[in-house]
Amino acid sequence: MEIVQTVLSISLISSALAVVVVIADRFLNDYGECVIDINGGNRQMTVNGGSTLLSALAANRIFIPSACGGKATCGLCTVQVASDVGPVLPTEEPYLSEEQVNEGVRLSCQIKIKHDLEIHIPEELFNIEQYQARIEKITDLTHDIKEFRFALEEPAELAFKPGQYVQIDSKPYGSVTESVSRAYSISSVPSDKGFVDLIIRLVPNGICTTFMHEHVKEGDTITLRGPFGDFYLRDGADDLVFIAGGSGLAPIKSLVFDILEQGLEKNMTFFFGAVTKKDLYYVELFQDLEKRYPNFRYIPALSNPAPEDAWQGDVGLITDVVAKYVETPVNKQAYLCGSPGMINACINVLTGIGLTEDEVFYDKFT
Ligand SMILES: Cc1cc2nc3c(=O)[nH]c(=O)nc-3n(C[C@H](O)[C@H](O)[C@H](O)COP(=O)(O)OP(=O)(O)OC[C@H]3O[C@@H](n4cnc5c(N)ncnc54)[C@H](O)[C@@H]3O)c2cc1C
Ligand code: FES
């Protein structure tokens, strides 16, 4: 009992101190106006000190990639900071390599603006726009995956490379009082001008996915930003291996359809891993492609098919199925999308077959 009381007292004192620090910081530390110099004077902006670098840039319509909304859990919001902003924080450490730290790369959501700053960001980030998009259609793909078709309203077109993603903003609902921003890969092709399709899997208790699955309807308007990301087709190989699980099918669908539409001379094998038949979707779509295009092969595999599935296809972990079919690394590239665990396991298999790490491209859905 005494131990419980001591622990409770310490927690209460720590919480009270944290609140005092936040309030004191807000009222005592008036950082005034600060100038952010971007890319050696290419652009300059004046912002009120005290906010994070990520939010100050967003307020000035410079959208740095961010899939966790500033909670230091995605590691995507990196920016090279030339000014002294103090040591790397423990929240940043897991996401920065030694090389990045030496180059001054930091997580912009963790950097608080206290004085003038000089930063460097890739020029293509200036092309990222914020869009208002109307939900045109919602389709149930599986028991926990829905597809959303958005009609872009303002601006009316989004130029992207197949494989890239957008960020969408949820709105407060029920007991959720905050709006969060999350990353979703585009599943449609660039030629489908004026529209963007997203495939979203419901994460139990997930803020944004619950919003999208349970609190939006056709006709609603959503804010999205993009395009982001470096998961897109590279030159250099004729044989492409695509591997996806769950909603990781989204960017692969965009890549495959775009390659076929462009008539590129690529041989493609698409491995899709699921647990049971109820987790499979777009099977007919890809089987139909297989019939129409001799250079496209579709291999769905179930890791644990239910007896009622009467599954005739491949059974096993997707890593085993990939190892069974991919024999040589020659002239190959691999594109992987899904959970970090699945991607790490597939990278091991592919490098074991002989692909080098720079022949394997991926987007981890963290
Ligand atoms: C580049 C990129 C592209 C992405 N593209 C897609 C996409 O096309 N389709 C898609 O459905 N998702 C995609 N994601 C994942 C997406 O951004 C969100 O992380 C996910 O939808 C959960 O958001 P949430 O707000 O509902 O959950 P949160 O409120 O962020 O999380 C709630 C809880 O669930 C856990 N959690 C978060 N994500 C997952 C997960 N995937 N599985 C299990 N537990 C989880 C968290 O740790 C937390 O405990 C992508 C992520 C990245 C980085
Ligand atoms: S926004 Fe996710 S780590 Fe900074």
Side-chain angles (χ1 to χ4, degrees):
M1 188 63 190
E2 225 170 84
I3 296 175
V4 173
Q5 274 179 342
T6 313
V7 170
L8 274 177
S9 311
I10 293 173
S11 318
L12 276 174
I13 293 168
S14 315
S15 310
L17 278 175
V19 171
V20 170
V21 169
V22 169
I23 293 173
D25 188 56
R26 183 164 300 171
F27 289 101
L28 299 179
N29 292 331
D30 178 6
Y31 301 109
E33 288 191 336
C34 304
V35 175
I36 303 180
D37 178 294
I38 306 176
N39 294 358
N42 186 337
R43 288 195 191 197
Q44 277 199 339
M45 60 183 63
T46 304
V47 303
N48 286 326
S51 61
T52 66
L53 181 55
L54 178 73
S55 55
L57 291 172
N60 285 276
R61 303 190 70 81
I62 296 179
F63 302 109
I64 306 295
S66 139
C68 70
K71 288 193 176 141
T73 57
C74 72
L76 293 175
C77 63
T78 51
V79 161
Q80 194 179 13
V81 185
S83 318
D84 182 7
V85 285
V88 171
L89 301 173
T91 46
E92 299 176 86
E93 275 167 9
Y95 302 102
L96 302 175
S97 65
E98 202 180 323
E99 195 186 346
Q100 285 178 307
V101 171
N102 291 338
E103 288 170 351
V105 175
R106 304 291 297 265
L107 294 189
S108 58
C109 70
Q110 300 299 297
I111 303 293
K112 191 166 170 179
I113 303 173
K114 299 179 180 174
H115 48 70
D116 294 351
L117 290 183
E118 195 188 326
I119 66 168
H120 294 272
I121 58 175
E123 289 287 323
E124 63 260 24
L125 290 184
F126 296 126
N127 298 331
I128 290 164
E129 294 258 18
Q130 182 157 291
Y131 296 78
Q132 294 308 310
R134 184 172 34 79
I135 302 176
E136 181 95 344
K137 194 161 190 286
I138 304 176
T139 311
D140 284 320
L141 297 178
T142 71
H143 59 105
D144 65 353
I145 296 181
K146 287 181 195 282
E147 182 179 65
F148 297 83
R149 182 160 180 78
F150 292 91
L152 299 169
E153 293 194 324
E154 184 57 42
E157 276 186 28
L158 191 163
F160 67 96
K161 293 181 188 162
Q164 288 191 301
Y165 68 92
V166 291
Q167 285 172 208
I168 65 175
D169 291 343
S170 68
K171 294 175 186 163
Y173 58 90
S175 60
V176 177
T177 51
E178 58 178 332
S179 158
V180 298
S181 177
R182 298 284 185 265
Y184 295 99
S185 307
I186 301 172
S187 63
S188 46
V189 283
S191 61
D192 193 4
K193 288 198 189 306
F195 294 92
V196 161
D197 294 350
L198 304 180
I199 292 174
I200 300 182
R201 186 176 72 85
L202 179 66
V203 170
N205 302 320
I207 296 176
C208 190
T209 55
T210 304
F211 171 70
M212 290 304 292
H213 273 246
E214 294 171 15
H215 296 273
V216 299
K217 56 183 185 318
E218 290 171 0
D220 287 355
T221 303
I222 296 281
T223 300
L224 54 87
R225 285 174 295 285
F228 293 103
D230 54 10
F231 184 66
Y232 44 75
L233 187 68
R234 307 302 210 283
D235 291 334
D238 298 325
D239 278 358
L240 307 181
V241 174
F242 294 106
I243 310 173
S247 52
L249 179 145
I252 306 294
K253 176 170 176 270
S254 180
L255 281 158
V256 167
F257 275 80
D258 185 70
I259 289 169
L260 294 173
E261 200 176 277
Q262 306 279 336
L264 301 183
E265 288 184 7
K266 305 278 185 190
N267 291 314
M268 296 179 272
T269 309
F270 175 25
F271 296 92
F272 183 72
V275 180
T276 65
K277 213 168 169 180
K278 74 178 186 358
D279 304 307
L280 290 177
Y281 59 103
Y282 276 146
V283 175
E284 282 168 18
L285 182 83
F286 286 109
Q287 282 175 339
D288 178 56
L289 281 191
E290 201 172 31
K291 282 186 204 128
R292 287 166 43 213
Y293 296 93
N295 59 332
F296 177 73
R297 187 167 183 201
Y298 171 56
I299 304 180
L302 298 183
S303 60
N304 195 12
E308 64 272 22
D309 288 346
W311 180 245
Q312 303 286 319
D314 280 277
V315 175
L317 290 175
I318 198 65
T319 39
D320 297 334
V321 178
V322 169
K324 175 178 154 193
Y325 287 95
V326 180
E327 285 169 351
T328 160
V330 178
N331 200 13
K332 274 202 177 57
Q333 283 176 346
Y335 293 82
L336 284 46
C337 204
S339 71
M342 184 212 86
I343 289 180
N344 292 340
C346 287
I347 292 173
N348 280 340
V349 168
L350 292 163
T351 50
I353 292 164
L355 275 87
T356 58
E357 284 192 10
D358 58 6
E359 290 166 334
V360 181
F361 306 92
Y362 52 84
D363 243 355
K364 292 182 180 175
F365 283 7
T366 50

